Amino acid sequence: QVQLVESGGGLVQAGDSLRLSCAASGRTFSDNAMGWFRQAPGKERKFVATISWNGGPTYYADSVKGRFTISRDNAKNTVYLQMNSLKPEDTAVYYCAARSTSGGITTMPDFYEYWGQGTQVTVSS
């Protein structure tokens, strides 16, 4: 059974940092792009960041560019999201996602076949 398990969320103040982790089990994703999405209350799920299978190409939403960094450790089957200079508008449930095929990075959620259960990030002003 394939599972993606996020951790690292929490309640922080504006300007603080958090590091989210997503540990995969059940299969390796070392040949697959992975990504992070987020969903605020009452809003649709939105793309945050994606990383290629080898950690090379990455891509970010404009709203997080320069503040968030996505990375991965294929030996640990884990992807990370370092979030700095957090803002109240970053408050959301953050989801990890993985592609099942060897396609490249993409911002489209429909291209990710595996999803975690989400971790809450709350940023107070």
Side-chain angles (χ1 to χ4, degrees), residues 1-5 22-27 29 77 114-117:
Q1 181 182 359
V2 176
Q3 280 190 314
L4 301 179
V5 179
C22 172
S25 61
R27 61 160 283 183
F29 289 100
N77 220 17
Y114 298 102
W115 292 83
Q117 82 290 348

Side-chain angles (χ1 to χ4, degrees), residues 22-30 34 73-79:
C22 172
S25 61
R27 61 160 283 183
T28 179
F29 289 100
S30 59
M34 298 185 73
D73 184 339
N74 285 342
K76 295 182 179 180
N77 220 17
T78 299
V79 65

Side-chain angles (χ1 to χ4, degrees), residues 36 38 46-50 58-69 81 84-85 87 89-90 94 107:
W36 287 94
R38 66 187 182 185
K46 291 187 176 180
F47 166 77
V48 175
T50 181
T58 58
Y59 189 76
Y60 298 90
D62 287 342
S63 58
V64 306
K65 202 171 294 183
R67 300 187 298 121
F68 291 11
T69 302
L81 185 68
N84 298 330
S85 303
K87 304 175 180 179
E89 51 263 43
D90 294 319
Y94 283 72
T107 65

Side-chain angles (χ1 to χ4, degrees), residues 9-45:
L11 172 63
V12 297
Q13 293 187 331
D16 286 350
S17 298
L18 278 176
R19 188 194 194 204
L20 304 184
S21 299
C22 172
S25 61
R27 61 160 283 183
T28 179
F29 289 100
S30 59
D31 293 330
N32 308 100
M34 298 185 73
W36 287 94
F37 292 76
R38 66 187 182 185
Q39 187 168 19
K43 297 187 177 181
E44 63 181 13
R45 191 171 299 188

